[in-house]
Amino acid sequence: MTNNIFWVITLISFLFIDFSQAPTPDTAKIIELEEYRTFISYEDQKLSNPQIIRYNDRNSHLFVYDTAESTVFEFDSNGEIVNRYGQRGRGPGEFLKVSNIFLANNYLYIVDPVQYRIMRFTFDGELAGSMNYGKGDSQALPPPAPTPLAPRAKKINNQPVVAENGQILLSNIYPG
């Protein structure tokens, strides 16, 4: 019992010592942004509902998926549209929903989780290929999430990821 009390007092002492040496809020440095440039705005009427934005540091272009237009726009550093990628539909180079876009290995990858498809576009706007990563071109909606028998981690992102070198990484957690 005396040994337990000793360890509890020691633990409490370390907690007080640790918190007493924490930095105070007044030591944080605040930097105010004095200069900025608007790249593109709603007033330009080029975008309606941007959802996903990616920046290509090789050519300073911005790639934006606009849900209202159902397409991915490529903007140059002056805010002008350079290219459009894909459109709403079920055909080649078309998607029903976009969950992510990736810039890798000189290609633009667009992930459609509804059709379980990843499309690869050249920066000229041409479809270079696509890959199905799950069940069903004929399936209109993804299947409901399975109910686990044993508790498992929440917030598992079961979406494909495209690495810098263009390799596609798929999770082994797949319903069914």
Side-chain angles (χ1 to χ4, degrees):
M1 174 107 181
T2 310
N3 195 17
N4 288 342
I5 294 173
F6 170 77
W7 287 112
V8 170
I9 292 173
T10 305
L11 178 64
I12 292 173
S13 301
F14 280 121
L15 289 175
F16 282 118
I17 292 170
D18 188 43
F19 288 129
S20 66
Q21 296 176 358
T24 58
D26 60 331
T27 61
K29 184 176 180 182
I30 299 174
I31 300 174
E32 183 178 343
L33 179 65
E34 295 177 8
E35 291 184 36
Y36 65 92
R37 185 177 84 112
T38 302
F39 189 73
I40 191 164
S41 70
Y42 284 112
E43 287 81 26
D44 297 331
Q45 296 184 351
K46 295 178 184 174
L47 295 173
S48 301
N49 191 9
Q51 183 180 21
I52 303 170
I53 300 173
R54 297 289 180 262
Y55 177 72
N56 188 350
D57 55 357
R58 292 182 185 174
N59 60 5
S60 300
H61 285 193
L62 196 64
F63 292 80
V64 180
Y65 171 63
D66 191 320
T67 57
E69 297 292 324
S70 292
T71 192
V72 176
F73 293 97
E74 179 182 359
F75 294 95
D76 65 12
S77 58
N78 296 320
E80 298 299 320
I81 296 174
V82 175
N83 220 330
R84 297 169 190 242
Y85 301 88
Q87 62 185 10
R88 185 162 184 76
R90 293 181 176 270
E94 298 176 340
F95 38 79
L96 296 177
K97 181 182 178 184
V98 173
S99 65
N100 215 335
I101 59 177
F102 298 95
L103 301 168
N105 210 20
N106 294 320
Y107 289 100
L108 169 70
Y109 294 85
I110 300 176
V111 179
D112 179 351
V114 175
Q115 299 183 88
Y116 297 102
R117 188 182 309 160
I118 302 171
M119 288 153 283
R120 182 173 70 171
F121 289 89
T122 65
F123 287 136
D124 296 333
E126 299 295 320
L127 179 65
S130 65
M131 180 188 115
N132 292 334
Y133 67 89
K135 289 183 182 177
D137 282 330
S138 63
Q139 201 167 353
L141 295 173
T147 51
L149 299 176
R152 49 184 236 202
K154 293 183 180 182
K155 297 183 180 180
I156 293 176
N157 182 356
N158 198 20
Q159 294 295 317
V161 174
V162 178
E164 283 282 327
N165 61 5
Q167 289 184 335
I168 298 172
L169 308 173
L170 297 173
S171 171
N172 63 355
I173 300 172
Y174 182 77

